[in-house]
Amino acid sequence: YGQVWRTGANEATLLFIDRAFDIGGTTIPAGTYSLWTLPKPDGSVQLIINAQHGQWGTDYDASQDVARVPMKVATVTAPRDDFSIAIAGAAGSSSELRIAWDTFIWTAPITMK
């Protein structure tokens, strides 16, 4: 807790997006970004969208942060073995970025511009 997590394995997880989008109330321009998370001791989590990409997964540079977005935290009783990152829901205002593994599910609302 309190340290940036590479949110995936090996190379930094990439998000390729061809148009601007809003995530958690923050507008992000089209482009390529790496995704990171910051789990905190109080149980909250921030999603970090970073302009640096193509690096090994532990080579994080906070000066390249484009946004830090609070995520909604939920838990499930049955743990899942596989780690997943997905855009869930219908296109538009009901979509969310979802990160799930073990017994946690972290989400942030996402809307394409």
Side-chain angles (χ1 to χ4, degrees):
Y1 295 103
Q3 296 182 354
V4 173
W5 183 43
R6 68 177 167 184
T7 314
N10 304 322
E11 292 182 18
T13 299
L14 296 181
L15 172 65
F16 302 95
I17 196 82
D18 64 356
R19 60 184 172 158
F21 67 101
D22 180 282
I23 184 159
T26 301
T27 299
I28 307 295
T32 302
Y33 302 96
S34 56
L35 298 180
W36 307 82
T37 44
L38 178 57
K40 298 183 178 181
D42 66 2
S44 65
V45 177
Q46 281 188 322
L47 173 68
I48 302 169
I49 300 171
N50 188 279
Q52 182 184 15
H53 54 84
Q55 75 274 31
W56 185 251
T58 56
D59 186 19
Y60 169 72
D61 180 357
S63 71
Q64 297 287 322
D65 287 356
V66 174
R68 288 185 173 218
V69 177
M71 299 192 82
K72 181 179 174 187
V73 176
T75 58
V76 293
T77 54
R80 64 181 295 151
D81 293 330
D82 60 329
F83 174 83
S84 70
I85 301 175
I87 304 292
S93 62
S94 62
S95 297
E96 64 185 12
L97 176 75
R98 182 179 296 166
I99 299 172
W101 182 55
D102 194 36
T103 59
F104 73 77
I105 299 172
W106 299 335
T107 59
I110 186 169
T111 305
M112 300 307 296
K113 295 285 183 174

